[in-house]
Amino acid sequence: MKRLIPLILSTLAVPAAAQTQATPVAPASPRPAPRLVVAISVDQFSADLFAQYRNRYTDGLARLLGGAVFPSGYQSHAATETCPGHSTILTGNRPANTGIIANNWIDQRAGRPDKVVYCSEDERVAGSTHDSYTVSDIHLKVPTLGERMKAADPRSRVVSVAGKDRAAVMMGGHKADELWWWDGKTYVSYAGRAVPPVVQRTRDAVAALVARPQAALPLPGWCRGLDRPINVGGYTVGQGRFARDADDLRGFRASPAADAAVLAMAAGLIQDMRLGAGLATDLIAIGLSATDYVGHSFGTQGTEMCIQQAELDRAIGGFLDVLDASGVDYQLVLTADHGAHDMTERQVERAMPMETHIDPQANAKRVGAAIGRDLGIAGPVLLGSEGDIYLDRALTAAQRSRVLAEAVRRYAALPQVAAAYTAAQVAATPMPTSPPETWTLLERARASYDAERSGDLLVLLKPRVTTIERPGPGYVETHGSPWDYDRRVPILFWRKGRTGFEQPLSVETVDIVPTLGAVLGLRTPGVDGRCLDLDPGPADTCKF
Ligand SMILES: [Zn+2]
């Protein structure tokens, strides 16, 4: 217990070692099902970041490196954002089937003035907007693994906790027993849910932490090579160590302490609910969001991300200590919702001339206005900004086809644009079945396509063109592209006593559910993924 970080200690009611050991059900076969599934998503944990730091981990992530390591997992779809990515991890389905095509999309039929719909909101609730929303699971069209486990045995319990509502909802699904997320101020759930004591303790511990100024975190020796200032739009990043003033909630969110708090709450819920010691296998999903906020705020190649990686490793180690002390046989998987690459300014300094910000001329509002002027059509003509672009529903059928043809022509002529596809083109593309790194752009777009929610036009930018027009504090780097730096993420499986191995060939995050299903002896029909054999020997995980 000594290694546990203070936040975990202060949040747990009883040290795990002092608790009664769980009583595992007597194994009926040489390969009994685990009693608990632990699924961790590290937001924006790209395969490149994993490759950069994997030899530096000494704690929790180092342990996972001794399991089944898939360094080239793919969030295979085009729209590599947080909500679509999380929707694939525990459903086994690509966004084309989960319905979660983006973090936000436009629904011109929405019965409110704001036609932008957020992925995990219920836009039917009076007074809500896409940025002041009521959290909901209504947009997720398929069941999660937790729901499948509950359908097979209603005694299974499902818990989901995360630093973002969209991570908690997309991994927890529709029937979670406990579902908690950070709302910018504290941890909350759906209206009317009772607050478990450990959630209240986490709230109190974090409130006390945020109320005090925080000293800089130590810089590991191996981070020193990254310690240099980079000027981004008039201010400097690259040398941060997470010192912050009292009451800096945004600073807390983009710091290692935010992940430690979510892990502490998860550990406490496992203890208090005695997850893994019930009558059926339980599941906990954990969304760690700080890596994403650190990346967006500071990029991936400064001291900030280096410290974040060291602290993430340590916090996961502390969490695994609690799990071990419980005596529960757990199957763990860790992956990410998407990747990322470093920000423009540092790339330019390192002489990578392809790197650039999006030209404002590519914004749909400008393109739409120009088309409207030339064709003599009033109104916005095009809705959206980049990516999925929508034709104004007020257009007549004749106007629609003229506007669409003109928009494709204009976008295709822009130097930063890789492709401009109509919805009909994407819809006519078969869902790809080959390895994800071989997919065409159109096939990547197909895996993100939903007939009701996708744009009438999809615009994809060339590699290394960032959608950030002008960087600002907290937003210097982003992701969301169809390119592999945003698609590739690690997938790590770990279970006590299992022999580890590494499989370098590409796999997909949608493979996680059929694989965990096989480990649990649970059939998972209707998924896009395939079962991965986690056994390096002659036995085959997938034959059950
Ligand atoms: Zn994300």
Side-chain angles (χ1 to χ4, degrees), residues 303-324:
T303 55
E304 300 92 346
M305 184 60 83
C306 197
I307 293 172
Q308 165 62 16
Q309 289 292 306
E311 295 291 321
L312 175 69
D313 180 36
R314 203 158 70 94
I316 289 174
F319 171 74
L320 295 181
D321 283 349
V322 175
L323 270 178
D324 292 343

Side-chain angles (χ1 to χ4, degrees), residues 43-44 81-82 86 164 292 337-338 479:
D43 201 312
Q44 203 188 115
E81 293 186 326
T82 295
H86 279 100
K164 296 181 183 178
D292 184 66
D337 55 340
H338 52 74
H479 49 83

